[in-house]
Amino acid sequence: MRGEQANDVLHALRDGRRRAVLGLLRNRTEPISDEEVAIHLAAADAEKRLLDVTEGELAEWRVSLQQTHLPVLEEAGLIDWDGETNAVAISTHPALQNPTLERIVETDRVDWDEVLEALVHRRRRIVLSVLADYDTALSRVALARAVVEREPETETVETVDADPVEDCCAALHHVHLPKLAAVGLASYDARSGAVSYCGHPLIEDAEWFDLHLPETPRAILSVAEPSQDIWRLDGRANVIEHCRALCEYADDELFLLYTDEDLIEAACLQCLQDAVDRGVDVYVGTQTQAIRDRVREQVPGVTLWEPQRDWMNMSPEREKVGRLLFADREAIMLGTLSKRNDHGIQNETAITGAGEDNALVMLVRELLGSRLDHLDEQSADFLEEIPF
């Protein structure tokens, strides 16, 4: 997960009421009204049955949801909220695949809001990540130097002539270390400058602070069926939704394959255009001329190439590959199409995996190898080497 995304997500989840909203929505297969959300939260807050919630309590909670909590969750991309129908549903945000975020939502401690508030700032998460690597205390200067090394340049240099280590050291002393010490995540002796990691009962390891996309995602849709490290999706609509989520997740590269013109819908093309607009390198491979023409016309920033192998031309008696999407070489979806039924309709299913060490991701990454780095060369000899 990008640092900015993590900041937005933690900002949204630092309030227990918003975590309660997500906890409720995650167990629903269909959108529910904000009134129903308000009833459940009011009942839980007052420790009473749903039927015993008063009109006053319901009205108070509904106003709070509509004016504060739902807008914050929607801004972070964690929910879909229809202002006209007041329908609320969980979104397909990549963060919701992260087991760490699941623990954040499910945790119910009196100090949890304050802990998450302290973790909203990315620099403080980096501080804890550094401290957790050491068994002994670090000096404030040594800590600042390590933090600057891990931060992007845009976060460490505030003025042209500034020394990033000195600036970081001052910010640690006046802002970040006192906040971490206040919630018990770090120990800081301002006089000696010694800093050490204290940890938290619900935070077991340093990787917690990085909030990466998980190696084994939870099902982001109710129809997903879990296996040990791979997930299955059924139905064209669900496959398209996950495709959209992966397109939105990509920071650097999207690699896609399509075998059927029906799979390239307007929503898919818009997702590709949005990725191109964000600076993502998008590569689309297909043997279908109609698909190439449509993508070339509507998303000119995409690099097109034609697979040279006939691996996609499977026997009509079996399911065939429909689409493949590989995001940043660490999240993948492979969709298959069934035979057409008597009405000419094909069902689509997909398997997905995420994380650098995920078996499916590793397989595809090994098959493609470094050749993905040179897709824009477009030479016939080179394309013959692509195993897809």
Side-chain angles (χ1 to χ4, degrees), residues 259 287 307-316 319-321:
T259 68
Q287 292 179 328
Q308 301 298 304
R309 303 292 180 86
D310 61 355
W311 69 283
M312 294 181 291
N313 299 329
M314 296 181 179
S315 167
E319 290 193 352
K320 70 172 185 176
V321 173

Side-chain angles (χ1 to χ4, degrees), residues 219-239:
I220 65 169
L221 299 167
S222 62
V223 294
E225 300 174 5
S227 67
Q228 188 172 7
D229 59 357
I230 296 173
W231 300 84
R232 174 181 171 181
L233 299 174
D234 286 303
R236 174 70 58 84
N238 295 320
V239 172

Side-chain angles (χ1 to χ4, degrees), residues 4 151-158:
E4 295 80 3
E151 284 183 331
E153 292 184 6
T154 54
E155 295 186 14
T156 58
V157 180
E158 298 178 0

Side-chain angles (χ1 to χ4, degrees), residues 242-258 267-285 295 299 301-305 324-333 364 368 372-373 375-376:
H242 191 55
C243 183
R244 179 179 66 83
L246 289 180
C247 286
E248 292 177 354
Y249 164 75
D251 288 334
D252 303 311
E253 177 188 80
L254 272 172
F255 174 81
L256 307 99
L257 285 169
Y258 290 98
C268 298
L269 292 170
Q270 184 60 54
C271 285
L272 297 185
Q273 184 61 61
D274 292 343
V276 171
D277 292 342
R278 295 198 313 272
V280 177
D281 295 326
V282 181
Y283 305 96
V284 174
V295 173
V299 195
V302 165
T303 298
L304 286 163
W305 61 280
L324 181 146
L325 190 154
F326 202 20
D328 289 344
R329 308 191 194 185
E330 62 181 29
I332 192 165
M333 182 180 73
V364 175
L368 293 176
L372 278 178
D373 297 326
L375 266 176
D376 54 354

Side-chain angles (χ1 to χ4, degrees), residues 297-365:
E297 177 183 352
Q298 300 191 34
V299 195
V302 165
T303 298
L304 286 163
W305 61 280
E306 181 178 355
Q308 301 298 304
R309 303 292 180 86
D310 61 355
W311 69 283
M312 294 181 291
N313 299 329
M314 296 181 179
S315 167
E317 299 301 321
R318 303 177 183 175
E319 290 193 352
K320 70 172 185 176
V321 173
R323 72 176 90 209
L324 181 146
L325 190 154
F326 202 20
D328 289 344
R329 308 191 194 185
E330 62 181 29
I332 192 165
M333 182 180 73
L334 177 64
T336 60
L337 295 171
S338 68
K339 294 189 299 180
R340 296 187 183 275
N341 61 21
D342 295 338
H343 302 286
I345 298 175
Q346 289 178 291
N347 184 45
E348 186 172 8
T349 62
I351 55 174
T352 71
E356 293 184 358
D357 298 326
N358 178 272
L360 185 59
V361 171
M362 292 176 65
L363 172 63
V364 175
R365 195 165 56 231

